[in-house]
Amino acid sequence: MIKKAVSIILLIFTTLVLPGCGEKELTKYQAEFIMLFDTVTRIVGYTETKEEFTGYSQIIRDDLKEYHQLYDIYNDYEGINNIKTINDNAGIKPVKVDKRIIDLLKFSKEVYEKTKGKTNIAYGAVLKIWHEYRTEGLEDPENASLPPLEELEKASQHTNIEDIIIDEVNSTVFLKDPLMSLDVGALAKGYATEQVSKTARDIGLKSALLSVGGNVRAINNNVTTDQPWNVGIQNPDPEDENPIFKVVKLDDGSLVTSGDYERFYTVDGKRYNHIIDPDTLYPAEYFTAVSIISKDSGIADALSTALFCMPFEEGLEFINSLPETEAMWIFKDKTVRYSDNFESFIKE
Ligand code: ADP
Ligand code: MG
């Protein structure tokens, strides 16, 4: 979910100097900026000079900020038509938008087909209700309550993805149903991460690891060792002595996790998370976390949400049918299951 962009702080620090595999020495740099996409963004990369690294970091940061504003569903920005503008004009009129919005929506329609409707960005009407109840429940835990099924069912009649009318020639988007709204929280972060990684690579960044709020994308491998990057998957159990659940080797690919442990609220001692299964209109309860490895970070993000809403057998068959896509499921009782090749990515 995308919220307010607060101040962005860019910190850059060098950690160590290593001889590169080419003729020039490469130095490892790290940058961090806060509150883009409501999270922390981290970049680790190897460049010849600090200036070079700073240049890439600033481009990534500025790019992410633009994506953040375009894909925001909660806030308006001066002079920008974003997803919120589209929602505000549902049933009223088409809205002229940046190509990056059109591309995201086209991608989201493909995702809907691929995931058989489990990841549906037209689900705003239902998600909004859960968001309201969750926010109220967090503010006033004593009186936390669940949305009535009737209200959810009513809203679910306004979630038809076909009612998103995209006019590419005029670059407009129109929501045909006045009661529908878009929520791109399931995939926008991953999609934006993928786009900025491509840009950074195209302008010359050769070896880096980008993490946008845990949405991780490797740009090539670690060029100084010619080995994959090591990326930790957070332990869903905060009580566990090991904060890292598994370490995954990433070589020019992406790792994204959806979990029930970060955004949830409690009603009568039971947790309700933020991923809603379109088939029940209630938070999906099959797993604690699902991690996806895929080349494309947008796909990984979209699939992590979809798989979270699918029973294990169905998800397993689905993932194994997709090339170069792997999944790890952590069940509530801590049982772990893997797709056919996930384990080959785990660092021993
Ligand atoms: P996170 O945002 O924590 O990284 P996800 O990528 O799984 O986790 O996205 C969850 C967000 O996606 C929710 O906060 C909500 O905005 C949206 N969402 C929840 N359920 C669905 C769904 N079935 N289809 C589309 N979007 C969803
Ligand atoms: Mg997701």
Side-chain angles (χ1 to χ4, degrees):
M1 183 186 355
I2 305 165
K3 278 194 202 143
K4 256 181 223 143
V6 191
S7 64
I8 298 158
I9 305 159
L10 181 63
L11 305 163
I12 298 192
F13 31 95
T14 320
T15 19
L16 60 146
V17 182
L18 288 168
C21 52
E23 53 304 335
K24 294 258 171 57
E25 258 194 6
L26 292 174
T27 305
K28 185 181 186 184
Y29 295 101
Q30 209 167 314
E32 198 165 280
F33 26 95
I34 298 158
M35 297 314 274
L36 266 178
F37 279 91
D38 208 23
T39 55
V40 178
T41 295
R42 278 195 192 91
I43 310 167
V44 180
Y46 288 94
T47 52
E48 285 168 22
T49 64
K50 184 174 168 191
E51 289 65 39
E52 207 188 327
F53 184 79
T54 309
Y56 289 127
S57 301
Q58 283 172 346
I59 287 167
I60 289 172
R61 180 198 60 187
D62 294 349
D63 235 15
L64 274 175
K65 187 178 165 196
E66 286 186 23
Y67 278 104
H68 169 83
Q69 296 184 340
L70 289 171
Y71 298 166
D72 199 331
I73 65 172
Y74 296 107
N75 303 286
D76 296 304
Y77 300 93
E78 184 88 35
I80 294 175
N81 283 342
N82 62 9
I83 305 266
K84 177 174 184 291
T85 322
I86 297 172
N87 286 342
D88 290 345
N89 285 287
I92 301 171
K93 62 172 194 293
V95 176
K96 191 140 188 107
V97 290
D98 189 284
K99 183 167 183 300
R100 285 168 286 185
I101 290 184
I102 305 261
D103 290 344
L104 176 80
L105 299 185
K106 281 168 62 187
F107 171 77
S108 303
K109 285 196 174 203
E110 283 166 25
V111 160
Y112 177 89
E113 294 301 326
K114 221 183 205 166
T115 63
K116 298 192 186 73
K118 287 290 190 184
T119 304
N120 180 3
I121 61 148
Y123 234 67
V126 172
L127 296 172
K128 220 181 323 188
I129 297 173
W130 278 106
H131 188 255
E132 250 165 56
Y133 275 77
R134 189 170 67 246
T135 309
E136 279 169 22
L138 288 170
E139 275 166 14
D140 183 8
E142 297 279 294
N143 293 309
S145 65
L146 296 173
L149 188 58
E150 206 181 44
E151 195 183 336
L152 296 169
E153 275 169 350
K154 236 188 195 163
S156 75
Q157 285 159 22
H158 304 284
T159 56
N160 187 350
I161 198 147
E162 298 303 326
D163 286 341
I164 308 174
I165 312 299
I166 301 171
D167 178 344
E168 283 192 73
V169 176
N170 294 306
S171 199
T172 63
V173 178
F174 177 53
L175 304 184
K176 227 162 76 179
D177 179 344
L179 295 180
M180 82 188 288
S181 73
L182 306 180
D183 181 328
V184 293
L187 44 70
K189 217 185 333 155
Y191 183 83
T193 304
E194 184 64 24
Q195 304 315 311
V196 300
S197 301
K198 275 191 194 138
T199 304
R201 180 204 305 259
D202 288 349
I203 58 172
L205 182 57
K206 289 191 187 67
S207 177
L209 192 65
L210 177 62
S211 166
V212 182
N215 215 301
V216 180
R217 178 65 159 103
I219 299 175
N220 298 323
N221 60 7
N222 180 332
V223 75
T224 56
T225 56
D226 202 26
Q227 294 292 316
W229 297 94
N230 294 324
V231 182
I233 298 178
Q234 189 190 327
N235 196 324
D237 180 1
E239 316 266 280
D240 199 290
E241 59 185 25
N242 195 348
I244 303 293
F245 190 77
K246 295 278 176 206
V247 176
V248 160
K249 297 175 285 181
L250 266 198
D251 186 342
D252 190 29
S254 179
L255 172 80
V256 178
T257 299
S258 280
D260 71 356
Y261 45 87
E262 247 153 24
R263 255 181 297 141
F264 62 85
Y265 76 120
T266 309
V267 182
D268 296 331
K270 190 173 148 96
R271 276 185 181 195
Y272 292 87
N273 73 73
H274 69 306
I275 301 175
I276 307 302
D277 182 348
D279 291 329
T280 62
L281 305 180
Y282 260 64
E285 292 195 321
Y286 300 108
F287 321 102
T288 284
V290 180
S291 294
I292 305 286
I293 295 174
S294 155
K295 275 260 179 271
D296 183 302
S297 198
I299 304 265
D301 196 5
L303 290 181
S304 74
T305 309
L307 275 253
F308 200 86
C309 297
M310 280 181 204
F312 171 68
E313 294 299 339
E314 186 185 337
L316 180 69
E317 196 184 322
F318 175 48
I319 281 295
N320 285 337
S321 75
L322 301 175
E324 296 192 313
T325 314
E326 302 299 332
M328 175 181 78
W329 294 260
I330 308 176
F331 290 73
K332 288 184 190 288
D333 67 359
K334 297 190 183 172
T335 311
V336 184
R337 300 294 296 271
Y338 304 103
S339 62
D340 282 354
N341 287 315
F342 192 96
E343 280 168 292
S344 67
F345 287 88
I346 294 177
K347 191 175 166 65
E348 298 307 328

